[in-house]
Amino acid sequence: MTDRNADLRGTASVLSVDTLHEEELAFVSNSVLALLARFLPDKTTLALEAWHVDDAAAEITLDVTSTQACVPCPLCHVQTTRVHSRYTRTVADVPWGAYAVRLHLRVRKFFCDNPRCPRQLFTERLPAVVVPWARRTLRRAQHLSALGIALGGQAGARLAARFQWRTSPDTLLRLVQAASPPDLAAPQRIGVDEWAWRRGQRYGTILVNLEDHHVIDLLPERSADLVAHWLTQHPTVTVVCRDRSALYADGIRRGAPHAVQVVDRFHLVKNLREAIEALRHDQRPALQAAAAGTAQALTQVAGLVAAPPMYRGRHRCSQVGQQRQEAAQQQRHAAWVTTYEALHALRAQGTSVTTIAAQRGISRPTVYASLRRTRPPSPRSPQRSGHVLRPYMTYLIQRWREGCTDSMQLWRETRALGYAHSARTVSRFITRLRQASAAGWAPETQTSPYTRPQGPSARAVSFTWVCPEAKRAQDAQLYVDQLIHADPVLAQAYTLSQAFLALVRERRGADLTAWITEAVTSGIAVLARFAQGLREDLAAITAGLTLPWSNGAVEGHINRLKLLKRQSYGRAGVGLLRQRVMQAV
Ligand SMILES: [Zn+2]
């Protein structure tokens, strides 16, 4: 009865009602208990006896007892009803709003009455509420684990704190590590690919079920042995999709000799694109001719007066192009250093500056400038800064349109706007405008004539080249047309590569050998090399061009893996990454 009185007083104080009779209070109290019981983790095995609120600690404590009439022995599974004793377990449950919730769980110990069972006493299990010896309820652990899987330790704990969940990054990570791997069906068609621990240095392997798109496993290394071992443990696999690496080919051959190897189509198109990029580097004059031709053709197309994005600004260099630029820069720097040393040596011998200038074919001011230096010139950074006039070009073009062609006047106007360089630069720009205008350039375009004649990079062209015709932008299509027109070798290369892309898109693996023969005898070195490469892996590539499987899902998971890896600031081990990438939240 004392418990019940405490309960009534609790209800009265929470509801702030002093005027109710005891019967009315009892009714309200029972209603509140019935309401609160709905929030228990499992209503079928638990009964709410009482509840206490600690406002200072923002904590609610629920006294809960088990209502199971008979329970099975965990060892022999024989049901028993004979109670030995009772004790209380304290477990944390999910919070209610701003209040943390603790369950005081009254559980019982039972006798096992099975005479053949070695266990005589056992504690009742509540499998839907809490695992044995745990300090938190099952649902709390699941919620925290889901947070950890989605966000990792630090970010997960920060978000948990926002939602009044008291936990720590370490706890989240422990729960993620302890989460049991999802139930996966025996895989039959899988995709295998590498993923980077650290790009260019260390790689792992990811395996994805191509039928349900779930990650099946994450291996810490990119090695044929590991893949072979994994496949021997998964004998149900019949199709393996891979990139073109010999390493995975070898591992699959050893681990699953009966499985069909399929080369991913994306990698084939990528290799073709790279071959085309190399071809473009050998065909610079044709590239430039096509750029000029396209610029001309574009002016004839209505609505395309301004230079299209493909031609705007300085073209972005491919990696190969950038390396060439840097090598040329180094050569120029070496020449400057040689000149500097020669000038100083001549001057030390007493030769006059005029004689030195005449001998070396340099102007006297340059000789003076070099002699003033106390050390050779340092190498210039490979990135050139933009044109000093660039911020004022729009203004100058606008003034030109208004009819102002006096470069001195324009120089004074730009100086007022903040331009701090010579009048000659402005004058050169105005001359350029005059020339461009005479050549048919329309000043209404607002675009500087400087940005006009540049064509796209070899890399950009190669992407356009492998892009389906229906998806090409108008200017890109014009450019490709010009290119084919400009050079018969390019025209032949274009026809060949389009034929290969048709094999890929229409999955006509049967026609592959005929295409390879044609490409090898075409006389175009890069395409012949590409075709020879296909011959070395013919069976798998033919399968890739015939079967529907591809590694698109694998690439998607690799992107997700990158995100997970970065979320952990690169500190997560393979165990944690494996758990997070395999558990879908
Ligand atoms: Zn037993």
mmCIF file of all heavy atoms in Angstrom, residues 72 108 196 215 237 249 255 260 267 298 307 312 340 342 353 370 397-398 401 406 408-409 419 452 494 516 534 547 574:
data_model
loop_
_atom_site.group_PDB
_atom_site.id
_atom_site.type_symbol
_atom_site.label_atom_id
_atom_site.label_comp_id
_atom_site.label_asym_id
_atom_site.label_seq_id
_atom_site.Cartn_x
_atom_site.Cartn_y
_atom_site.Cartn_z
ATOM 1 N N PRO A 72 12.051 -20.844 -20.633
ATOM 2 C CA PRO A 72 12.876 -21.999 -20.988
ATOM 3 C C PRO A 72 14.287 -21.874 -20.420
ATOM 4 O O PRO A 72 14.830 -20.771 -20.337
ATOM 5 C CB PRO A 72 12.898 -21.945 -22.513
ATOM 6 C CG PRO A 72 12.723 -20.502 -22.839
ATOM 7 C CD PRO A 72 11.979 -19.857 -21.708
ATOM 8 N N ARG A 108 13.806 -12.670 -12.464
ATOM 9 C CA ARG A 108 13.818 -13.807 -11.534
ATOM 10 C C ARG A 108 14.878 -14.819 -11.938
ATOM 11 O O ARG A 108 15.262 -14.902 -13.100
ATOM 12 C CB ARG A 108 12.443 -14.488 -11.530
ATOM 13 C CG ARG A 108 11.334 -13.592 -11.049
ATOM 14 C CD ARG A 108 9.999 -14.018 -11.563
ATOM 15 N NE ARG A 108 9.875 -13.822 -12.996
ATOM 16 C CZ ARG A 108 8.813 -14.154 -13.698
ATOM 17 N NH1 ARG A 108 7.771 -14.757 -13.117
ATOM 18 N NH2 ARG A 108 8.758 -13.951 -14.983
ATOM 19 N N ALA A 196 40.777 2.581 -52.928
ATOM 20 C CA ALA A 196 42.047 3.132 -52.460
ATOM 21 C C ALA A 196 42.010 3.436 -50.969
ATOM 22 O O ALA A 196 41.153 4.179 -50.502
ATOM 23 C CB ALA A 196 42.369 4.402 -53.229
ATOM 24 N N VAL A 215 26.980 -4.868 -50.676
ATOM 25 C CA VAL A 215 28.397 -5.199 -50.519
ATOM 26 C C VAL A 215 28.490 -6.537 -49.806
ATOM 27 O O VAL A 215 27.852 -6.730 -48.770
ATOM 28 C CB VAL A 215 29.121 -4.108 -49.704
ATOM 29 C CG1 VAL A 215 30.570 -4.490 -49.490
ATOM 30 C CG2 VAL A 215 29.031 -2.775 -50.401
ATOM 31 N N VAL A 237 29.554 -18.828 -56.542
ATOM 32 C CA VAL A 237 29.760 -17.759 -57.533
ATOM 33 C C VAL A 237 29.931 -18.338 -58.937
ATOM 34 O O VAL A 237 30.740 -19.246 -59.142
ATOM 35 C CB VAL A 237 31.000 -16.916 -57.156
ATOM 36 C CG1 VAL A 237 31.353 -15.941 -58.277
ATOM 37 C CG2 VAL A 237 30.745 -16.164 -55.872
ATOM 38 N N ALA A 249 42.111 -11.169 -62.721
ATOM 39 C CA ALA A 249 41.881 -12.280 -63.659
ATOM 40 C C ALA A 249 42.533 -13.540 -63.112
ATOM 41 O O ALA A 249 41.923 -14.622 -63.087
ATOM 42 C CB ALA A 249 42.449 -11.922 -65.022
ATOM 43 N N GLY A 255 40.653 -19.139 -57.962
ATOM 44 C CA GLY A 255 39.657 -19.368 -56.911
ATOM 45 C C GLY A 255 38.352 -19.948 -57.423
ATOM 46 O O GLY A 255 37.680 -20.696 -56.714
ATOM 47 N N VAL A 260 32.439 -17.593 -64.981
ATOM 48 C CA VAL A 260 32.614 -16.789 -66.197
ATOM 49 C C VAL A 260 33.177 -15.433 -65.792
ATOM 50 O O VAL A 260 32.621 -14.762 -64.920
ATOM 51 C CB VAL A 260 31.255 -16.591 -66.908
ATOM 52 C CG1 VAL A 260 31.437 -15.711 -68.153
ATOM 53 C CG2 VAL A 260 30.649 -17.928 -67.291
ATOM 54 N N HIS A 267 35.150 0.180 -68.193
ATOM 55 C CA HIS A 267 36.609 0.206 -68.302
ATOM 56 C C HIS A 267 37.060 0.107 -69.757
ATOM 57 O O HIS A 267 38.073 0.681 -70.144
ATOM 58 C CB HIS A 267 37.220 -0.926 -67.470
ATOM 59 C CG HIS A 267 37.144 -0.682 -66.001
ATOM 60 N ND1 HIS A 267 36.130 -1.168 -65.214
ATOM 61 C CD2 HIS A 267 37.941 0.042 -65.175
ATOM 62 C CE1 HIS A 267 36.314 -0.765 -63.974
ATOM 63 N NE2 HIS A 267 37.397 -0.032 -63.912
ATOM 64 N N LEU A 298 30.326 28.250 -86.179
ATOM 65 C CA LEU A 298 29.434 28.668 -85.088
ATOM 66 C C LEU A 298 28.835 30.041 -85.346
ATOM 67 O O LEU A 298 27.697 30.301 -84.966
ATOM 68 C CB LEU A 298 30.203 28.693 -83.767
ATOM 69 C CG LEU A 298 30.398 27.330 -83.115
ATOM 70 C CD1 LEU A 298 31.270 27.460 -81.886
ATOM 71 C CD2 LEU A 298 29.055 26.728 -82.720
ATOM 72 N N ALA A 307 30.998 32.974 -77.735
ATOM 73 C CA ALA A 307 31.802 31.755 -77.752
ATOM 74 C C ALA A 307 31.206 30.752 -76.773
ATOM 75 O O ALA A 307 30.928 31.103 -75.635
ATOM 76 C CB ALA A 307 33.230 32.084 -77.368
ATOM 77 N N ARG A 312 35.682 28.797 -74.262
ATOM 78 C CA ARG A 312 35.887 29.978 -73.438
ATOM 79 C C ARG A 312 37.146 29.830 -72.598
ATOM 80 O O ARG A 312 37.388 28.774 -72.037
ATOM 81 C CB ARG A 312 34.683 30.207 -72.535
ATOM 82 C CG ARG A 312 34.602 31.625 -72.056
ATOM 83 C CD ARG A 312 33.243 31.886 -71.491
ATOM 84 N NE ARG A 312 32.234 31.989 -72.532
ATOM 85 C CZ ARG A 312 30.951 31.706 -72.344
ATOM 86 N NH1 ARG A 312 30.550 31.297 -71.172
ATOM 87 N NH2 ARG A 312 30.093 31.827 -73.317
ATOM 88 N N TYR A 340 72.868 34.365 -67.955
ATOM 89 C CA TYR A 340 73.263 35.145 -66.789
ATOM 90 C C TYR A 340 74.740 34.928 -66.476
ATOM 91 O O TYR A 340 75.497 35.883 -66.258
ATOM 92 C CB TYR A 340 72.387 34.736 -65.602
ATOM 93 C CG TYR A 340 72.891 35.216 -64.255
ATOM 94 C CD1 TYR A 340 72.533 36.489 -63.781
ATOM 95 C CD2 TYR A 340 73.709 34.423 -63.468
ATOM 96 C CE1 TYR A 340 72.995 36.935 -62.566
ATOM 97 C CE2 TYR A 340 74.179 34.855 -62.243
ATOM 98 C CZ TYR A 340 73.818 36.117 -61.785
ATOM 99 O OH TYR A 340 74.275 36.559 -60.579
ATOM 100 N N ALA A 342 77.129 33.737 -68.450
ATOM 101 C CA ALA A 342 78.003 34.227 -69.536
ATOM 102 C C ALA A 342 78.199 35.736 -69.437
ATOM 103 O O ALA A 342 79.321 36.242 -69.558
ATOM 104 C CB ALA A 342 77.385 33.845 -70.883
ATOM 105 N N VAL A 353 79.577 46.904 -71.863
ATOM 106 C CA VAL A 353 78.186 46.461 -71.955
ATOM 107 C C VAL A 353 77.728 46.479 -73.415
ATOM 108 O O VAL A 353 77.056 45.571 -73.885
ATOM 109 C CB VAL A 353 77.289 47.363 -71.073
ATOM 110 C CG1 VAL A 353 75.815 47.121 -71.391
ATOM 111 C CG2 VAL A 353 77.570 47.109 -69.615
ATOM 112 N N SER A 370 70.536 42.230 -66.098
ATOM 113 C CA SER A 370 71.106 40.949 -65.682
ATOM 114 C C SER A 370 72.330 41.169 -64.795
ATOM 115 O O SER A 370 72.541 40.451 -63.823
ATOM 116 C CB SER A 370 71.487 40.152 -66.928
ATOM 117 O OG SER A 370 71.878 38.870 -66.558
ATOM 118 N N ILE A 397 35.758 46.824 -74.117
ATOM 119 C CA ILE A 397 34.951 46.394 -75.264
ATOM 120 C C ILE A 397 33.684 47.247 -75.344
ATOM 121 O O ILE A 397 33.271 47.683 -76.418
ATOM 122 C CB ILE A 397 34.603 44.893 -75.148
ATOM 123 C CG1 ILE A 397 35.883 44.066 -75.331
ATOM 124 C CG2 ILE A 397 33.586 44.472 -76.202
ATOM 125 C CD1 ILE A 397 35.704 42.587 -75.077
ATOM 126 N N GLN A 398 33.120 47.534 -74.142
ATOM 127 C CA GLN A 398 31.900 48.343 -74.119
ATOM 128 C C GLN A 398 32.178 49.752 -74.663
ATOM 129 O O GLN A 398 31.429 50.276 -75.488
ATOM 130 C CB GLN A 398 31.395 48.400 -72.678
ATOM 131 C CG GLN A 398 30.050 49.104 -72.527
ATOM 132 C CD GLN A 398 29.876 49.639 -71.115
ATOM 133 O OE1 GLN A 398 30.396 49.048 -70.167
ATOM 134 N NE2 GLN A 398 29.166 50.739 -70.988
ATOM 135 N N ARG A 401 32.547 49.710 -78.332
ATOM 136 C CA ARG A 401 31.238 49.647 -78.980
ATOM 137 C C ARG A 401 30.607 51.031 -79.039
ATOM 138 O O ARG A 401 29.912 51.364 -79.998
ATOM 139 C CB ARG A 401 30.301 48.696 -78.212
ATOM 140 C CG ARG A 401 30.479 47.243 -78.598
ATOM 141 C CD ARG A 401 29.749 46.349 -77.635
ATOM 142 N NE ARG A 401 28.330 46.667 -77.535
ATOM 143 C CZ ARG A 401 27.549 46.284 -76.538
ATOM 144 N NH1 ARG A 401 28.051 45.584 -75.551
ATOM 145 N NH2 ARG A 401 26.277 46.584 -76.536
ATOM 146 N N ASP A 406 40.204 55.847 -78.999
ATOM 147 C CA ASP A 406 41.457 56.523 -78.623
ATOM 148 C C ASP A 406 42.084 55.781 -77.451
ATOM 149 O O ASP A 406 41.579 55.821 -76.331
ATOM 150 C CB ASP A 406 41.134 57.983 -78.247
ATOM 151 C CG ASP A 406 42.368 58.734 -77.786
ATOM 152 O OD1 ASP A 406 43.450 58.094 -77.719
ATOM 153 O OD2 ASP A 406 42.241 59.925 -77.496
ATOM 154 N N MET A 408 44.806 56.226 -75.720
ATOM 155 C CA MET A 408 45.300 57.039 -74.590
ATOM 156 C C MET A 408 44.139 57.444 -73.681
ATOM 157 O O MET A 408 44.238 57.355 -72.452
ATOM 158 C CB MET A 408 46.013 58.308 -75.100
ATOM 159 C CG MET A 408 47.402 58.071 -75.635
ATOM 160 S SD MET A 408 48.429 57.098 -74.518
ATOM 161 C CE MET A 408 48.815 58.328 -73.301
ATOM 162 N N GLN A 409 43.034 57.852 -74.307
ATOM 163 C CA GLN A 409 41.842 58.213 -73.539
ATOM 164 C C GLN A 409 41.367 57.001 -72.720
ATOM 165 O O GLN A 409 41.085 57.098 -71.527
ATOM 166 C CB GLN A 409 40.752 58.690 -74.520
ATOM 167 C CG GLN A 409 39.359 58.802 -73.929
ATOM 168 C CD GLN A 409 39.283 59.895 -72.857
ATOM 169 O OE1 GLN A 409 40.077 60.836 -72.849
ATOM 170 N NE2 GLN A 409 38.348 59.737 -71.931
ATOM 171 N N TYR A 419 43.417 50.369 -62.903
ATOM 172 C CA TYR A 419 44.439 49.712 -63.720
ATOM 173 C C TYR A 419 45.774 50.410 -63.494
ATOM 174 O O TYR A 419 45.843 51.644 -63.512
ATOM 175 C CB TYR A 419 44.017 49.784 -65.186
ATOM 176 C CG TYR A 419 45.059 49.316 -66.168
ATOM 177 C CD1 TYR A 419 45.359 47.964 -66.284
ATOM 178 C CD2 TYR A 419 45.726 50.222 -66.990
ATOM 179 C CE1 TYR A 419 46.296 47.531 -67.197
ATOM 180 C CE2 TYR A 419 46.668 49.796 -67.907
ATOM 181 C CZ TYR A 419 46.960 48.446 -68.013
ATOM 182 O OH TYR A 419 47.892 48.019 -68.905
ATOM 183 N N ARG A 452 39.218 33.765 -78.290
ATOM 184 C CA ARG A 452 38.514 33.130 -79.391
ATOM 185 C C ARG A 452 39.202 31.892 -79.991
ATOM 186 O O ARG A 452 38.606 30.826 -80.064
ATOM 187 C CB ARG A 452 38.247 34.177 -80.473
ATOM 188 C CG ARG A 452 37.436 33.694 -81.657
ATOM 189 C CD ARG A 452 36.158 33.004 -81.187
ATOM 190 N NE ARG A 452 35.103 33.938 -80.937
ATOM 191 C CZ ARG A 452 34.343 34.489 -81.880
ATOM 192 N NH1 ARG A 452 34.560 34.225 -83.137
ATOM 193 N NH2 ARG A 452 33.384 35.304 -81.539
ATOM 194 N N TYR A 494 37.753 7.781 -86.223
ATOM 195 C CA TYR A 494 36.412 8.049 -85.703
ATOM 196 C C TYR A 494 35.448 6.921 -86.066
ATOM 197 O O TYR A 494 34.727 6.411 -85.219
ATOM 198 C CB TYR A 494 35.905 9.392 -86.260
ATOM 199 C CG TYR A 494 34.574 9.794 -85.689
ATOM 200 C CD1 TYR A 494 34.488 10.290 -84.393
ATOM 201 C CD2 TYR A 494 33.408 9.656 -86.423
ATOM 202 C CE1 TYR A 494 33.274 10.641 -83.849
ATOM 203 C CE2 TYR A 494 32.184 10.015 -85.887
ATOM 204 C CZ TYR A 494 32.121 10.503 -84.599
ATOM 205 O OH TYR A 494 30.919 10.846 -84.044
ATOM 206 N N ILE A 516 38.470 -6.308 -84.103
ATOM 207 C CA ILE A 516 39.894 -6.291 -83.718
ATOM 208 C C ILE A 516 40.768 -6.401 -84.973
ATOM 209 O O ILE A 516 41.724 -5.634 -85.140
ATOM 210 C CB ILE A 516 40.189 -7.443 -82.724
ATOM 211 C CG1 ILE A 516 39.513 -7.141 -81.383
ATOM 212 C CG2 ILE A 516 41.689 -7.610 -82.531
ATOM 213 C CD1 ILE A 516 39.675 -8.232 -80.352
ATOM 214 N N LEU A 534 42.969 -5.988 -76.421
ATOM 215 C CA LEU A 534 41.698 -6.711 -76.289
ATOM 216 C C LEU A 534 41.904 -8.199 -76.551
ATOM 217 O O LEU A 534 41.292 -9.050 -75.914
ATOM 218 C CB LEU A 534 40.663 -6.166 -77.268
ATOM 219 C CG LEU A 534 40.248 -4.700 -77.126
ATOM 220 C CD1 LEU A 534 39.162 -4.369 -78.124
ATOM 221 C CD2 LEU A 534 39.761 -4.397 -75.708
ATOM 222 N N LEU A 547 27.073 -10.344 -72.029
ATOM 223 C CA LEU A 547 26.217 -10.538 -70.847
ATOM 224 C C LEU A 547 25.765 -9.188 -70.285
ATOM 225 O O LEU A 547 26.417 -8.163 -70.520
ATOM 226 C CB LEU A 547 26.999 -11.322 -69.776
ATOM 227 C CG LEU A 547 27.453 -12.710 -70.220
ATOM 228 C CD1 LEU A 547 28.356 -13.341 -69.181
ATOM 229 C CD2 LEU A 547 26.247 -13.603 -70.494
ATOM 230 N N VAL A 574 40.213 -1.532 -41.370
ATOM 231 C CA VAL A 574 39.386 -2.217 -42.361
ATOM 232 C C VAL A 574 38.164 -2.861 -41.696
ATOM 233 O O VAL A 574 37.088 -2.937 -42.304
ATOM 234 C CB VAL A 574 40.220 -3.244 -43.159
ATOM 235 C CG1 VAL A 574 40.552 -4.450 -42.308
ATOM 236 C CG2 VAL A 574 39.467 -3.683 -44.403
#
